[in-house]
Amino acid sequence: MQYRHAPAANHAALDAVLASAPGRPTLPVRLTVELAGRARVHLPADAPLTVWDPCCGAGATLTVLGLLVPGLARVVGTDADPGPLDLARRNLALLDPGGLTARAADLEALAARHDKPSYAEAATAARTLVPAGTPAWSVTLADARDTAAVRSALAGAGPHGTGPDLVLADLPHGHRTTWAASPTRTGGVAGTPAPDAGPVRAAADDRDPGVEFLRAVATALRPDAVVVAVGRGRTVPLPGGARPLERVRVGHRAAVLVRAGALQEG
Ligand SMILES: C[S@@+](CC[C@H](N)C(=O)[O-])C[C@H]1O[C@@H](n2cnc3c(N)ncnc32)[C@H](O)[C@@H]1O
């Protein structure tokens, strides 16, 4: 993939400003900005956007978007696991007026206490970063397949309450970020996490947890909303018949951009 919307930059200091949980890797900053830029091409120009991350984890993806991408009105995070949501609130507080200054002060205190230059560098990054905007934000515990919980978390989101314009989801992969146990799938042991999505299969399969997830996410969206899903492996499977807007590969990741309407029909 050639980067068209995110110039090369060293984001190490921004990474250090974000609070992260060990073993919970997040999308690279540049890839996050690039995918938002590509999605934006398919959305009305200059309209303030509402972005939903339905598996927001520690909120890094949404915080990076809020800090670096102009024109966001609101970012909404939901996740089936309560574990990382306090971190998500901490990260998203960076989008509040004064949020970066407060984080810089925390990092300076840590730098003084532990005599660690990395904290001081992160503090400088927090003080010098000029945020692209100050979108409103919220974080809620919700399994993306639980329609009622999702609708309540998204209440009032989007222009005139019409829901999010853009979904950006880094799909679960690996040991620490597995799919939550399905409330609907049969054949498994209740409460047992679905197997690691592993290298995602190219063929659409309704039993694929990613396909089930995308279908569920689309039920909460307007047909013209754009969904960006990122997975590990060669491709991100879509429901049968759903035509993507675009597919990209970058390193060991694959991403798909697709209209919610295509997911609803697929
Ligand atoms: C790769 S992580 C996302 C990282 C996140 N973008 C960040 O910035 O930290 C995948 C997340 O999906 C969540 N997840 C798994 N199954 C889910 C489901 N059915 N509904 C919502 N979230 C789910 C996991 O709890 C995990 O936090």
Side-chain angles (χ1 to χ4, degrees):
M1 180 191 74
Q2 284 219 320
Y3 283 87
R4 297 185 205 136
H5 303 276
N10 182 355
H11 292 299
L14 173 55
D15 280 330
V17 171
L18 297 170
S20 63
R24 287 182 174 272
T26 54
L27 277 187
V29 171
R30 190 180 182 198
L31 180 58
T32 304
V33 175
E34 174 68 20
L35 290 172
R38 286 180 181 240
R40 187 132 215 178
V41 170
H42 303 286
L43 291 163
D46 300 331
L49 296 185
T50 294
V51 184
W52 173 32
D53 183 347
C55 34
C56 70
T61 302
L62 289 177
T63 307
V64 164
L65 290 175
L67 289 174
L68 299 186
V69 175
L72 303 191
R74 182 173 167 189
V75 297
V76 181
T78 55
D79 198 289
D81 178 4
L85 295 190
D86 279 345
L87 273 183
R89 291 184 188 98
R90 218 172 120 199
N91 280 326
L92 285 159
L94 295 173
L95 304 180
D96 294 338
L100 283 165
T101 309
R103 180 77 178 133
D106 290 347
L107 288 162
E108 277 155 5
L110 285 169
R113 194 175 323 139
H114 300 290
D115 194 22
K116 270 183 94 175
S118 57
Y119 284 134
E121 282 161 26
T124 304
R127 283 214 186 276
T128 49
L129 186 64
V130 179
T134 51
W137 60 268
S138 61
V139 169
T140 310
L141 178 66
D143 189 307
R145 298 158 302 185
D146 179 342
T147 315
V150 163
R151 282 194 196 285
S152 146
L154 294 177
H160 316 296
T162 51
D165 309 283
L166 169 61
V167 169
L168 182 40
D170 182 16
L171 302 179
H173 51 79
H175 176 59
R176 292 298 301 272
T177 65
T178 51
W179 291 105
S182 171
T184 54
R185 210 170 323 143
T186 54
V189 179
T192 304
D196 181 356
V200 282
R201 278 161 287 161
D205 174 355
D206 280 357
R207 291 179 60 85
D208 182 289
V211 169
E212 185 189 7
F213 172 85
L214 289 173
R215 274 191 200 284
V217 162
T219 63
L221 298 171
R222 302 190 311 273
D224 65 334
V226 173
V227 177
V228 183
V230 187
R232 303 288 169 115
R234 283 183 297 111
T235 190
V236 178
L238 292 179
R243 288 173 70 89
L245 293 165
E246 191 180 353
R247 284 188 179 277
V248 294
R249 287 280 309 278
V250 49
H252 57 280
R253 290 184 173 87
V256 64
L257 284 74
V258 59
R259 289 254 183 236
L263 296 171
Q264 290 156 359
E265 290 158 14

